[in-house]
Amino acid sequence: MSQLKTIEGHLQAEGLRFALVASRFNDFIVDRLISGAVDYLLRHGAKQENLTLIRVPGAFEMPLIAQKTAAQNQFDGVVCLGAVIRGATPHFDFVAAEVAKGLAQVSLASSVPIGFGILTTDTLEQAIERAGSKAGNKGVEAAQAVLESIRVLEQLSPAS
Ligand code: INI
């Protein structure tokens, strides 16, 4: 593989501006995702003054706010953070499906990298595990994915 011409993103965030769009719903989980994402970006060279936190009510509202955020031309990337946890009704399925589909559309339509740091779990315990304990931190993963995507896009021509 090493002989192939390769385009890949480096993980240096210096000079980049990020929006973190985070839901208030399940905020005790989401706050850990925010902490993980912020910590990751700062440790990779981002400046605190270049990080903006935007709060939204729940995951369902996230695609619209992410779309408006991406359209501002103020941010190089948008990290979306939330937690959709299954309850006793089908509400979970509708919210989880809409946020995933909506954020994918926003990313394609805006050409701004959107990180999908939305936990979709069957139980609260699974969410806790993915918010900074034994199964990692989805906020960190989403921040890294956005940073890497920004750096890849920089190397591709605007027309592609
Ligand atoms: N929003 C979430 O972010 N996570 C959830 O687990 C959740 N559940 O399960 O209901 C949730 N619902 C609220 C939804 O995102 C909207 O904010 C609400 O329906 C108002 O539009």
Side-chain angles (χ1 to χ4, degrees), residues 12-139:
Q12 176 49 256
E14 200 177 337
L16 297 178
R17 301 152 307 163
F18 295 88
L20 294 93
V21 177
S23 55
R24 294 190 190 284
F25 206 103
N26 292 325
D27 64 349
F28 61 105
I29 297 288
V30 177
D31 286 352
R32 296 172 187 212
L33 302 178
I34 297 170
S35 296
V38 168
D39 182 60
Y40 177 88
L41 293 172
L42 293 178
R43 284 193 294 111
H44 286 78
K47 294 270 180 291
Q48 184 147 349
E49 61 264 30
N50 289 333
L51 306 183
T52 302
L53 177 62
I54 300 170
R55 299 307 296 247
V56 302
F60 187 82
E61 284 72 34
M62 208 166 278
L64 172 62
I65 306 296
Q67 181 186 53
K68 289 288 178 192
T69 303
Q72 302 286 301
N73 270 341
Q74 282 179 38
F75 303 106
D76 300 291
V78 180
V79 184
C80 292
L81 303 166
V84 190
I85 302 171
R86 192 180 289 281
T89 71
H91 195 70
F92 165 97
D93 299 290
F94 293 110
V95 174
E98 289 312 310
V99 67
K101 192 171 53 172
L103 290 180
Q105 283 172 359
V106 170
S107 193
L108 290 175
S110 67
S111 292
V112 173
I114 308 286
F116 188 72
I118 319 289
L119 295 172
T120 52
T121 63
D122 286 331
T123 65
L124 181 58
E125 189 185 4
Q126 288 171 346
I128 292 168
E129 283 173 3
R130 288 157 181 78
S133 58
K134 56 188 178 187
N137 186 317
K138 198 53 131 185

